Amino acid sequence: TAREESEGQSETKSERGNERPPANAEKARQRATTAPAAEDSVVVPPAVEEELPLPRARLDYSALAERTDEMERNLRERSMSGDARALPLLLQAQKESARALMEAREQRNALTARLKDKSLPQAERLALVAEGRALRVRTAALQTAARTSDARLQRTALELPNWVHPDAPVGDETAARVVTEEEGRSPLPPGSAGPPPEWWREHVQYAVDEGLVAFEEGAAVAGQKFVFLQREAALLELALQQWALARLLAFRPRRGGPFVPMAAPDMVLPSVSAACGFQPRGAHTQVYSVEGHRLCMVGTSEIPLVARHADKILAGAELPLRLAGFGHCFRAEAGSLGTASKGLYRLHQFSKVEMVVVAHPDHSEELLEELRGIEEALVRELELPFRVLDMPTADLGAPATRKYDLEAWMPSRRAYGELCSASNCTDYQSRRLNVRFRNEEGERPRFVHTLNATAVAVPRVILAILENHQQPDGSV
C-alpha cells in the first residue's frame, strides 16, 4: 500500500541519515514493525517490544537454524540452557505465516484496484465489497499469526548464547588457562604456607580499625553488602578513578582514536540491559529493577556505553571507538555468601572505570589483547601480585566469545580473586541493538563487534592494596 511504501522509504532515508534516534516512541514503534527485514530478521510485534525506542534484534536466524548441532554443543560447553533444536521448525513456521500474510495483502491490493474501476456493475461491486470485508478479517487473523510466529522465533533465538572462540578452554572454572603471572609485592606472597606476620591484618579488620569503612552503618542504611567508605578510603576511591582515567586518556593506540571519557546513566531500560546480555528478570537475576518504573540499575557502564550506538550505522573510518566510562555499578549478587565474598570483595554497589570498544569485526581479537595489556599495565603499576586467566566456556556468560580474567593475590583468602576482566562479545550485542558500520556510501552495512574490559573496580583494588601493601608500622 502507499502507506507501507512511504514507511519503507522512511526507513531507507533514516539509514542514509546515519539513523538519528526516533523523535518519539510511536515513530520508534513504526520503525520496528515496518522496517525491511535483513538476513531473515523478523518483525517484532508490539507485544514483544516491552520498552521503546530499542530497535528490533537482527539475528541471523538461517545460520542459527543450520548450525543446531554446533549450538547444542555450545550450550553444553557453557552449561547453559536453550532450545536450539526448535529453531528450524520455528523459522519455517515464521516464513510460512509471513508468506500467507503477504499473499492476503496482495489480494486486498488487487481487490482495491478493481474497485477503483468506475464502470464496474453495481452487483459486482457489492460482491467485491463483501469479499473485501472477509479478506480484511482473514488478513487480521494472519497478521496475528505472523506476529506470534515472529515472537516465538525471536524469543527462542535470543535465549541462545554467542559462539565460543575455538581457543577458549572447554569446561568449568578448573579448566582456566594461566596466561600471565607476576609476583608484585606482598607480605604474604602467592604460595606462602606459613602464618602471616603478627603486625599484618586482613582488609576488613585493618579498614575497621583505621576508621576507613563502616560496614554496620552501611547495613543499617541500605542492608547487607553496602558500605560507607570514609576518610582516606573515600579519597582513595576518587584517586583510583582519576588515576585510571588519566592512564586511559594518555594511551595512544596503533589503530583508531584515543579513549573518550564518559559519565553514563546509572539506569537503563530493561530491554537495553537484556540486549547487552544482562537479564533483568528471573529467579537468578543480578539486576536491580526500579519498582514502578520501566528502568533497572546498571551492573556496569558497558551497558549504556554500548547501547548509546543502538540503531546507528557508523562510518568505518571511525572504528574502533574507545570509550572510558566511570560511575556506579549495582548488582544483586544473589547467593553470594561466605568468607570468600566478605568485606569489600562483593558489594551491591561499587565504583568502576570501564573500557568499551566498538570495533571492525576483523580487528576485535587484536583489540581484546590490547585491552588485556592495558589491564595488566594498570595492575603492574600498583605493584600487586596478579595472574591472567583465559577463562573456560562455562564461565563466559552469554555475550562473550572469549574472556580474560585478571586476578590479584588476596592474602586473606590465601587465593587469587578476580580484579577485572576483558571480553570480546563479537556481534552478540550489536545484532540485538542494531549497531552497524559501512566503509563507503552505498555499501551494505555490517555489524560491529563490541568489547569491554575493567580498568579499575574500586573496592577490590582497595582490598588488594590494603592486604598486599601493609607495612610493619601500620601504614600502607
Short mmCIF file of all heavy atoms in Angstrom, two decimals, residues 67-130:
data_model
loop_
_atom_site.label_atom_id
_atom_site.label_comp_id
_atom_site.label_asym_id
_atom_site.label_seq_id
_atom_site.Cartn_x
_atom_site.Cartn_y
_atom_site.Cartn_z
N ARG A 67 22.91 -24.53 12.09
CA ARG A 67 24.01 -25.00 12.96
C ARG A 67 23.49 -25.45 14.32
O ARG A 67 24.10 -25.18 15.34
CB ARG A 67 25.04 -23.87 13.12
CG ARG A 67 25.63 -23.37 11.81
CD ARG A 67 26.50 -22.14 12.01
NE ARG A 67 27.66 -22.40 12.83
CZ ARG A 67 28.53 -21.46 13.23
NH1 ARG A 67 28.32 -20.19 12.89
NH2 ARG A 67 29.57 -21.77 13.97
N THR A 68 22.39 -26.15 14.32
CA THR A 68 21.80 -26.57 15.59
C THR A 68 22.70 -27.51 16.37
O THR A 68 22.76 -27.43 17.61
CB THR A 68 20.43 -27.22 15.36
OG1 THR A 68 20.57 -28.30 14.43
CG2 THR A 68 19.43 -26.22 14.83
N ASP A 69 23.40 -28.42 15.69
CA ASP A 69 24.30 -29.34 16.40
C ASP A 69 25.42 -28.57 17.09
O ASP A 69 25.76 -28.85 18.25
CB ASP A 69 24.90 -30.36 15.43
CG ASP A 69 23.87 -31.37 14.94
OD1 ASP A 69 22.81 -31.50 15.60
OD2 ASP A 69 24.11 -32.03 13.92
N GLU A 70 25.99 -27.59 16.38
CA GLU A 70 27.05 -26.78 16.97
C GLU A 70 26.54 -25.96 18.15
O GLU A 70 27.23 -25.81 19.16
CB GLU A 70 27.64 -25.86 15.91
CG GLU A 70 28.35 -26.56 14.78
CD GLU A 70 28.78 -25.58 13.70
OE1 GLU A 70 29.65 -24.73 13.97
OE2 GLU A 70 28.22 -25.66 12.58
N MET A 71 25.31 -25.42 18.00
CA MET A 71 24.77 -24.62 19.09
C MET A 71 24.47 -25.50 20.30
O MET A 71 24.68 -25.06 21.45
CB MET A 71 23.51 -23.90 18.63
CG MET A 71 22.86 -23.03 19.72
SD MET A 71 23.98 -21.82 20.52
CE MET A 71 24.18 -20.62 19.19
N GLU A 72 23.99 -26.70 20.10
CA GLU A 72 23.75 -27.60 21.24
C GLU A 72 25.05 -27.91 21.96
O GLU A 72 25.09 -27.96 23.19
CB GLU A 72 23.07 -28.88 20.77
CG GLU A 72 21.59 -28.69 20.43
CD GLU A 72 20.85 -30.00 20.40
OE1 GLU A 72 21.42 -31.00 19.92
OE2 GLU A 72 19.69 -30.03 20.87
N ARG A 73 26.13 -28.13 21.22
CA ARG A 73 27.42 -28.34 21.85
C ARG A 73 27.88 -27.08 22.58
O ARG A 73 28.43 -27.15 23.69
CB ARG A 73 28.46 -28.75 20.80
CG ARG A 73 29.83 -29.07 21.41
CD ARG A 73 30.80 -29.63 20.40
NE ARG A 73 31.15 -28.66 19.37
CZ ARG A 73 30.74 -28.73 18.11
NH1 ARG A 73 29.95 -29.72 17.71
NH2 ARG A 73 31.10 -27.81 17.24
N ASN A 74 27.65 -25.94 21.97
CA ASN A 74 27.97 -24.65 22.59
C ASN A 74 27.24 -24.50 23.92
O ASN A 74 27.83 -24.07 24.93
CB ASN A 74 27.59 -23.52 21.63
CG ASN A 74 27.97 -22.15 22.12
OD1 ASN A 74 28.84 -21.98 22.97
ND2 ASN A 74 27.29 -21.14 21.60
N LEU A 75 25.96 -24.86 23.95
CA LEU A 75 25.17 -24.78 25.18
C LEU A 75 25.72 -25.71 26.25
O LEU A 75 25.82 -25.35 27.42
CB LEU A 75 23.72 -25.10 24.89
CG LEU A 75 22.92 -24.05 24.09
CD1 LEU A 75 21.62 -24.64 23.57
CD2 LEU A 75 22.65 -22.82 24.95
N ARG A 76 26.07 -26.93 25.85
CA ARG A 76 26.62 -27.89 26.83
C ARG A 76 27.94 -27.38 27.40
O ARG A 76 28.17 -27.46 28.61
CB ARG A 76 26.82 -29.25 26.17
CG ARG A 76 25.53 -30.01 25.87
CD ARG A 76 25.84 -31.46 25.55
NE ARG A 76 26.72 -31.61 24.40
CZ ARG A 76 26.33 -31.68 23.13
NH1 ARG A 76 25.03 -31.61 22.84
NH2 ARG A 76 27.20 -31.83 22.15
N GLU A 77 28.79 -26.87 26.54
CA GLU A 77 30.10 -26.41 26.99
C GLU A 77 29.99 -25.19 27.89
O GLU A 77 30.82 -24.98 28.78
CB GLU A 77 30.99 -26.09 25.79
CG GLU A 77 31.40 -27.35 25.01
CD GLU A 77 32.21 -27.02 23.76
OE1 GLU A 77 32.30 -25.82 23.40
OE2 GLU A 77 32.75 -27.95 23.14
N ARG A 78 28.97 -24.39 27.69
CA ARG A 78 28.75 -23.21 28.54
C ARG A 78 27.91 -23.52 29.77
O ARG A 78 27.71 -22.65 30.61
CB ARG A 78 28.04 -22.12 27.73
CG ARG A 78 28.89 -21.42 26.69
CD ARG A 78 28.04 -20.43 25.93
NE ARG A 78 28.78 -19.68 24.92
CZ ARG A 78 29.31 -18.47 25.10
NH1 ARG A 78 29.18 -17.87 26.27
NH2 ARG A 78 29.95 -17.85 24.14
N SER A 79 27.39 -24.75 29.86
CA SER A 79 26.48 -25.14 30.95
C SER A 79 25.26 -24.22 30.98
O SER A 79 24.82 -23.77 32.04
CB SER A 79 27.21 -25.11 32.31
OG SER A 79 28.26 -26.05 32.33
N MET A 80 24.73 -23.96 29.79
CA MET A 80 23.56 -23.10 29.65
C MET A 80 22.42 -23.89 29.01
O MET A 80 22.63 -24.93 28.41
CB MET A 80 23.89 -21.87 28.79
CG MET A 80 24.94 -20.96 29.39
SD MET A 80 25.25 -19.50 28.36
CE MET A 80 23.68 -18.65 28.51
N SER A 81 21.22 -23.36 29.18
CA SER A 81 20.05 -23.99 28.58
C SER A 81 19.57 -23.19 27.38
O SER A 81 19.81 -21.98 27.29
CB SER A 81 18.92 -24.12 29.61
OG SER A 81 18.53 -22.83 30.07
N GLY A 82 18.91 -23.87 26.46
CA GLY A 82 18.37 -23.23 25.27
C GLY A 82 17.81 -24.29 24.34
O GLY A 82 18.21 -25.46 24.40
N ASP A 83 16.90 -23.89 23.50
CA ASP A 83 16.22 -24.84 22.62
C ASP A 83 16.66 -24.63 21.18
O ASP A 83 15.89 -24.15 20.34
CB ASP A 83 14.70 -24.69 22.76
CG ASP A 83 13.94 -25.85 22.15
OD1 ASP A 83 14.59 -26.78 21.62
OD2 ASP A 83 12.70 -25.83 22.19
N ALA A 84 17.90 -24.99 20.88
CA ALA A 84 18.42 -24.81 19.53
C ALA A 84 17.68 -25.67 18.52
O ALA A 84 17.49 -25.28 17.36
CB ALA A 84 19.91 -25.13 19.51
N ARG A 85 17.23 -26.85 18.93
CA ARG A 85 16.56 -27.77 18.02
C ARG A 85 15.24 -27.22 17.49
O ARG A 85 14.77 -27.63 16.42
CB ARG A 85 16.31 -29.10 18.74
CG ARG A 85 17.53 -29.97 18.92
CD ARG A 85 17.98 -30.54 17.59
NE ARG A 85 19.23 -31.28 17.72
CZ ARG A 85 19.98 -31.65 16.70
NH1 ARG A 85 19.59 -31.33 15.47
NH2 ARG A 85 21.09 -32.31 16.89
N ALA A 86 14.64 -26.31 18.24
CA ALA A 86 13.35 -25.77 17.81
C ALA A 86 13.48 -24.74 16.70
O ALA A 86 12.49 -24.43 16.01
CB ALA A 86 12.63 -25.16 19.01
N LEU A 87 14.66 -24.19 16.49
CA LEU A 87 14.82 -23.08 15.56
C LEU A 87 14.41 -23.39 14.12
O LEU A 87 13.72 -22.60 13.49
CB LEU A 87 16.26 -22.55 15.60
CG LEU A 87 16.58 -21.59 16.75
CD1 LEU A 87 18.01 -21.16 16.67
CD2 LEU A 87 15.66 -20.37 16.70
N PRO A 88 14.84 -24.53 13.53
CA PRO A 88 14.44 -24.79 12.14
C PRO A 88 12.92 -24.81 11.96
O PRO A 88 12.40 -24.23 10.99
CB PRO A 88 15.06 -26.16 11.85
CG PRO A 88 16.23 -26.26 12.78
CD PRO A 88 15.78 -25.56 14.03
N LEU A 89 12.20 -25.44 12.88
CA LEU A 89 10.75 -25.50 12.78
C LEU A 89 10.12 -24.12 12.97
O LEU A 89 9.19 -23.74 12.26
CB LEU A 89 10.18 -26.49 13.81
CG LEU A 89 10.56 -27.97 13.60
CD1 LEU A 89 10.03 -28.81 14.76
CD2 LEU A 89 10.01 -28.47 12.28
N LEU A 90 10.65 -23.36 13.94
CA LEU A 90 10.12 -22.02 14.18
C LEU A 90 10.38 -21.09 13.01
O LEU A 90 9.54 -20.26 12.65
CB LEU A 90 10.73 -21.44 15.47
CG LEU A 90 10.30 -22.12 16.77
CD1 LEU A 90 11.12 -21.58 17.93
CD2 LEU A 90 8.81 -21.91 17.02
N LEU A 91 11.56 -21.24 12.40
CA LEU A 91 11.89 -20.40 11.24
C LEU A 91 10.97 -20.74 10.07
O LEU A 91 10.49 -19.83 9.36
CB LEU A 91 13.35 -20.59 10.86
CG LEU A 91 13.84 -19.79 9.65
CD1 LEU A 91 13.64 -18.30 9.86
CD2 LEU A 91 15.30 -20.10 9.35
N GLN A 92 10.74 -22.03 9.85
CA GLN A 92 9.86 -22.43 8.77
C GLN A 92 8.44 -21.91 9.01
O GLN A 92 7.78 -21.41 8.08
CB GLN A 92 9.84 -23.96 8.65
CG GLN A 92 8.97 -24.49 7.52
CD GLN A 92 9.46 -24.04 6.16
OE1 GLN A 92 10.66 -23.78 5.97
NE2 GLN A 92 8.54 -23.92 5.20
N ALA A 93 7.97 -22.00 10.25
CA ALA A 93 6.63 -21.51 10.58
C ALA A 93 6.55 -20.00 10.36
O ALA A 93 5.53 -19.48 9.86
CB ALA A 93 6.28 -21.86 12.02
N GLN A 94 7.61 -19.29 10.72
CA GLN A 94 7.62 -17.84 10.53
C GLN A 94 7.56 -17.47 9.05
O GLN A 94 6.82 -16.57 8.64
CB GLN A 94 8.88 -17.24 11.18
CG GLN A 94 8.98 -15.74 11.11
CD GLN A 94 9.64 -15.25 9.83
OE1 GLN A 94 10.48 -15.95 9.26
NE2 GLN A 94 9.26 -14.07 9.39
N LYS A 95 8.32 -18.19 8.24
CA LYS A 95 8.32 -17.90 6.81
C LYS A 95 6.96 -18.20 6.18
O LYS A 95 6.47 -17.43 5.35
CB LYS A 95 9.41 -18.73 6.11
CG LYS A 95 10.83 -18.28 6.42
CD LYS A 95 11.85 -19.12 5.68
CE LYS A 95 13.27 -18.62 5.92
NZ LYS A 95 14.28 -19.43 5.22
N GLU A 96 6.36 -19.31 6.59
CA GLU A 96 5.05 -19.66 6.03
C GLU A 96 3.97 -18.66 6.43
O GLU A 96 3.15 -18.27 5.61
CB GLU A 96 4.66 -21.07 6.49
CG GLU A 96 5.51 -22.17 5.86
CD GLU A 96 5.19 -23.53 6.41
OE1 GLU A 96 4.33 -23.62 7.34
OE2 GLU A 96 5.78 -24.52 5.94
N SER A 97 3.99 -18.22 7.69
CA SER A 97 2.99 -17.24 8.13
C SER A 97 3.21 -15.90 7.45
O SER A 97 2.26 -15.20 7.09
CB SER A 97 3.02 -17.09 9.65
OG SER A 97 4.29 -16.61 10.09
N ALA A 98 4.48 -15.52 7.25
CA ALA A 98 4.77 -14.26 6.57
C ALA A 98 4.34 -14.33 5.11
O ALA A 98 3.81 -13.36 4.55
CB ALA A 98 6.26 -13.94 6.67
N ARG A 99 4.55 -15.49 4.49
CA ARG A 99 4.15 -15.66 3.10
C ARG A 99 2.63 -15.58 2.96
O ARG A 99 2.11 -14.93 2.04
CB ARG A 99 4.67 -16.99 2.57
CG ARG A 99 4.46 -17.18 1.06
CD ARG A 99 5.00 -18.53 0.60
NE ARG A 99 6.40 -18.69 0.94
CZ ARG A 99 6.86 -19.56 1.83
NH1 ARG A 99 6.02 -20.36 2.49
NH2 ARG A 99 8.15 -19.65 2.09
N ALA A 100 1.91 -16.24 3.87
CA ALA A 100 0.45 -16.21 3.82
C ALA A 100 -0.08 -14.79 4.01
O ALA A 100 -1.03 -14.36 3.34
CB ALA A 100 -0.12 -17.14 4.89
N LEU A 101 0.55 -14.05 4.90
CA LEU A 101 0.13 -12.67 5.13
C LEU A 101 0.39 -11.81 3.91
O LEU A 101 -0.44 -10.98 3.52
CB LEU A 101 0.85 -12.11 6.36
CG LEU A 101 0.57 -10.65 6.72
CD1 LEU A 101 -0.91 -10.45 7.01
CD2 LEU A 101 1.41 -10.23 7.92
N MET A 102 1.53 -12.00 3.29
CA MET A 102 1.87 -11.22 2.10
C MET A 102 0.87 -11.51 0.97
O MET A 102 0.42 -10.59 0.27
CB MET A 102 3.29 -11.55 1.64
CG MET A 102 3.73 -10.76 0.42
SD MET A 102 5.42 -11.15 -0.07
CE MET A 102 5.23 -12.87 -0.57
N GLU A 103 0.53 -12.78 0.79
CA GLU A 103 -0.42 -13.14 -0.25
C GLU A 103 -1.78 -12.51 0.01
O GLU A 103 -2.45 -12.02 -0.91
CB GLU A 103 -0.54 -14.66 -0.35
CG GLU A 103 0.71 -15.34 -0.89
CD GLU A 103 0.64 -16.85 -0.81
OE1 GLU A 103 -0.36 -17.36 -0.23
OE2 GLU A 103 1.56 -17.52 -1.31
N ALA A 104 -2.23 -12.50 1.27
CA ALA A 104 -3.51 -11.89 1.61
C ALA A 104 -3.49 -10.39 1.33
O ALA A 104 -4.48 -9.83 0.84
CB ALA A 104 -3.84 -12.16 3.07
N ARG A 105 -2.38 -9.74 1.64
CA ARG A 105 -2.28 -8.30 1.36
C ARG A 105 -2.29 -8.02 -0.13
O ARG A 105 -2.86 -7.02 -0.60
CB ARG A 105 -1.01 -7.74 2.01
CG ARG A 105 -1.14 -7.59 3.53
CD ARG A 105 0.17 -7.18 4.15
NE ARG A 105 -0.01 -6.84 5.56
CZ ARG A 105 1.00 -6.67 6.41
NH1 ARG A 105 2.26 -6.82 5.99
NH2 ARG A 105 0.76 -6.35 7.66
N GLU A 106 -1.63 -8.89 -0.90
CA GLU A 106 -1.63 -8.72 -2.35
C GLU A 106 -3.05 -8.86 -2.90
O GLU A 106 -3.46 -8.13 -3.81
CB GLU A 106 -0.69 -9.74 -3.00
CG GLU A 106 0.78 -9.45 -2.74
CD GLU A 106 1.69 -10.54 -3.27
OE1 GLU A 106 1.15 -11.60 -3.68
OE2 GLU A 106 2.91 -10.33 -3.29
N GLN A 107 -3.81 -9.81 -2.35
CA GLN A 107 -5.18 -9.99 -2.77
C GLN A 107 -6.03 -8.74 -2.44
O GLN A 107 -6.85 -8.31 -3.25
CB GLN A 107 -5.79 -11.22 -2.09
CG GLN A 107 -5.19 -12.54 -2.57
CD GLN A 107 -5.71 -13.71 -1.76
OE1 GLN A 107 -6.75 -13.62 -1.10
NE2 GLN A 107 -4.98 -14.83 -1.80
N ARG A 108 -5.80 -8.16 -1.26
CA ARG A 108 -6.52 -6.95 -0.89
C ARG A 108 -6.16 -5.80 -1.82
O ARG A 108 -7.03 -5.01 -2.23
CB ARG A 108 -6.20 -6.57 0.56
CG ARG A 108 -6.88 -7.43 1.60
CD ARG A 108 -6.66 -6.86 2.99
NE ARG A 108 -7.35 -5.58 3.14
CZ ARG A 108 -7.22 -4.80 4.21
NH1 ARG A 108 -6.44 -5.17 5.22
NH2 ARG A 108 -7.88 -3.66 4.30
N ASN A 109 -4.89 -5.67 -2.16
CA ASN A 109 -4.47 -4.60 -3.06
C ASN A 109 -5.10 -4.78 -4.45
O ASN A 109 -5.54 -3.80 -5.08
CB ASN A 109 -2.95 -4.58 -3.19
CG ASN A 109 -2.27 -4.13 -1.90
OD1 ASN A 109 -2.90 -3.50 -1.06
ND2 ASN A 109 -0.99 -4.44 -1.75
N ALA A 110 -5.14 -6.03 -4.92
CA ALA A 110 -5.75 -6.29 -6.22
C ALA A 110 -7.24 -5.97 -6.19
O ALA A 110 -7.81 -5.39 -7.14
CB ALA A 110 -5.52 -7.75 -6.61
N LEU A 111 -7.89 -6.36 -5.09
CA LEU A 111 -9.32 -6.09 -4.96
C LEU A 111 -9.58 -4.58 -4.91
O LEU A 111 -10.52 -4.07 -5.53
CB LEU A 111 -9.86 -6.78 -3.72
CG LEU A 111 -11.37 -6.81 -3.51
CD1 LEU A 111 -11.78 -8.11 -2.82
CD2 LEU A 111 -11.80 -5.62 -2.66
N THR A 112 -8.75 -3.85 -4.19
CA THR A 112 -8.89 -2.39 -4.10
C THR A 112 -8.73 -1.75 -5.47
O THR A 112 -9.46 -0.80 -5.82
CB THR A 112 -7.84 -1.82 -3.13
OG1 THR A 112 -8.04 -2.40 -1.84
CG2 THR A 112 -7.95 -0.31 -3.01
N ALA A 113 -7.79 -2.27 -6.26
CA ALA A 113 -7.58 -1.74 -7.60
C ALA A 113 -8.81 -1.97 -8.48
O ALA A 113 -9.20 -1.09 -9.27
CB ALA A 113 -6.34 -2.38 -8.22
N ARG A 114 -9.42 -3.13 -8.34
CA ARG A 114 -10.61 -3.42 -9.14
C ARG A 114 -11.77 -2.51 -8.75
O ARG A 114 -12.56 -2.09 -9.60
CB ARG A 114 -11.01 -4.89 -8.96
CG ARG A 114 -10.04 -5.88 -9.59
CD ARG A 114 -10.49 -7.31 -9.33
NE ARG A 114 -11.80 -7.56 -9.94
CZ ARG A 114 -12.50 -8.68 -9.74
NH1 ARG A 114 -12.03 -9.61 -8.90
NH2 ARG A 114 -13.68 -8.85 -10.34
N LEU A 115 -11.89 -2.19 -7.47
CA LEU A 115 -12.98 -1.33 -7.02
C LEU A 115 -12.84 0.10 -7.52
O LEU A 115 -13.81 0.87 -7.48
CB LEU A 115 -13.06 -1.35 -5.48
CG LEU A 115 -13.64 -2.63 -4.86
CD1 LEU A 115 -13.45 -2.62 -3.34
CD2 LEU A 115 -15.13 -2.76 -5.21
N LYS A 116 -11.65 0.47 -7.96
CA LYS A 116 -11.46 1.83 -8.49
C LYS A 116 -12.05 1.98 -9.89
O LYS A 116 -12.14 3.11 -10.40
CB LYS A 116 -9.97 2.17 -8.50
CG LYS A 116 -9.37 2.34 -7.12
CD LYS A 116 -7.89 2.68 -7.19
CE LYS A 116 -7.29 2.85 -5.80
NZ LYS A 116 -5.85 3.15 -5.85
N ASP A 117 -12.40 0.85 -10.49
CA ASP A 117 -13.00 0.90 -11.84
C ASP A 117 -14.44 1.43 -11.73
O ASP A 117 -15.34 0.74 -11.23
CB ASP A 117 -12.98 -0.52 -12.43
CG ASP A 117 -13.48 -0.53 -13.85
OD1 ASP A 117 -13.88 0.55 -14.36
OD2 ASP A 117 -13.51 -1.63 -14.46
N LYS A 118 -14.67 2.65 -12.23
CA LYS A 118 -15.98 3.29 -12.10
C LYS A 118 -17.05 2.63 -12.99
O LYS A 118 -18.25 2.82 -12.78
CB LYS A 118 -15.87 4.77 -12.44
CG LYS A 118 -15.01 5.54 -11.44
CD LYS A 118 -14.98 7.03 -11.78
CE LYS A 118 -14.15 7.80 -10.76
NZ LYS A 118 -14.09 9.25 -11.07
N SER A 119 -16.60 1.87 -14.00
CA SER A 119 -17.57 1.21 -14.89
C SER A 119 -18.02 -0.14 -14.36
O SER A 119 -18.80 -0.84 -15.02
CB SER A 119 -16.94 1.02 -16.29
OG SER A 119 -15.83 0.13 -16.22
N LEU A 120 -17.57 -0.51 -13.17
CA LEU A 120 -17.92 -1.82 -12.61
C LEU A 120 -19.41 -1.88 -12.31
O LEU A 120 -19.96 -0.95 -11.70
CB LEU A 120 -17.12 -2.03 -11.31
CG LEU A 120 -16.89 -3.46 -10.82
CD1 LEU A 120 -16.03 -4.24 -11.81
CD2 LEU A 120 -16.19 -3.41 -9.46
N PRO A 121 -20.09 -2.95 -12.75
CA PRO A 121 -21.52 -3.09 -12.43
C PRO A 121 -21.75 -3.09 -10.93
O PRO A 121 -20.92 -3.57 -10.15
CB PRO A 121 -21.88 -4.43 -13.07
CG PRO A 121 -20.84 -4.67 -14.11
CD PRO A 121 -19.59 -4.04 -13.59
N GLN A 122 -22.91 -2.58 -10.51
CA GLN A 122 -23.21 -2.44 -9.10
C GLN A 122 -23.20 -3.78 -8.38
O GLN A 122 -22.70 -3.90 -7.26
CB GLN A 122 -24.58 -1.76 -8.92
CG GLN A 122 -24.97 -1.51 -7.47
CD GLN A 122 -24.05 -0.48 -6.81
OE1 GLN A 122 -23.26 0.19 -7.48
NE2 GLN A 122 -24.13 -0.39 -5.49
N ALA A 123 -23.78 -4.82 -9.00
CA ALA A 123 -23.84 -6.13 -8.36
C ALA A 123 -22.43 -6.68 -8.11
O ALA A 123 -22.12 -7.23 -7.05
CB ALA A 123 -24.65 -7.09 -9.22
N GLU A 124 -21.57 -6.50 -9.12
CA GLU A 124 -20.20 -6.99 -8.98
C GLU A 124 -19.44 -6.19 -7.92
O GLU A 124 -18.65 -6.72 -7.16
CB GLU A 124 -19.48 -6.90 -10.33
CG GLU A 124 -18.09 -7.54 -10.31
CD GLU A 124 -17.45 -7.55 -11.69
OE1 GLU A 124 -18.16 -7.27 -12.70
OE2 GLU A 124 -16.23 -7.81 -11.75
N ARG A 125 -19.72 -4.88 -7.89
CA ARG A 125 -19.07 -4.03 -6.88
C ARG A 125 -19.46 -4.46 -5.47
O ARG A 125 -18.62 -4.56 -4.57
CB ARG A 125 -19.45 -2.57 -7.11
CG ARG A 125 -18.83 -1.60 -6.11
CD ARG A 125 -19.21 -0.16 -6.43
NE ARG A 125 -18.70 0.23 -7.73
CZ ARG A 125 -17.46 0.68 -7.94
NH1 ARG A 125 -16.61 0.78 -6.91
NH2 ARG A 125 -17.08 1.04 -9.15
N LEU A 126 -20.74 -4.72 -5.26
CA LEU A 126 -21.18 -5.15 -3.93
C LEU A 126 -20.56 -6.48 -3.54
O LEU A 126 -20.20 -6.71 -2.38
CB LEU A 126 -22.71 -5.25 -3.92
CG LEU A 126 -23.47 -3.93 -4.01
CD1 LEU A 126 -24.98 -4.18 -4.14
CD2 LEU A 126 -23.18 -3.05 -2.80
N ALA A 127 -20.42 -7.37 -4.53
CA ALA A 127 -19.80 -8.67 -4.25
C ALA A 127 -18.33 -8.48 -3.85
O ALA A 127 -17.83 -9.15 -2.93
CB ALA A 127 -19.92 -9.57 -5.47
N LEU A 128 -17.67 -7.57 -4.56
CA LEU A 128 -16.26 -7.31 -4.22
C LEU A 128 -16.13 -6.67 -2.85
O LEU A 128 -15.18 -6.94 -2.11
CB LEU A 128 -15.63 -6.41 -5.28
CG LEU A 128 -15.38 -7.05 -6.65
CD1 LEU A 128 -14.84 -6.01 -7.63
CD2 LEU A 128 -14.40 -8.22 -6.53
N VAL A 129 -17.03 -5.78 -2.49
CA VAL A 129 -17.00 -5.16 -1.17
C VAL A 129 -17.17 -6.22 -0.09
O VAL A 129 -16.46 -6.21 0.93
CB VAL A 129 -18.10 -4.08 -1.05
CG1 VAL A 129 -18.24 -3.62 0.40
CG2 VAL A 129 -17.78 -2.90 -1.95
N ALA A 130 -18.08 -7.14 -0.28
CA ALA A 130 -18.27 -8.23 0.69
C ALA A 130 -17.02 -9.10 0.78
O ALA A 130 -16.59 -9.51 1.87
CB ALA A 130 -19.48 -9.07 0.30
#
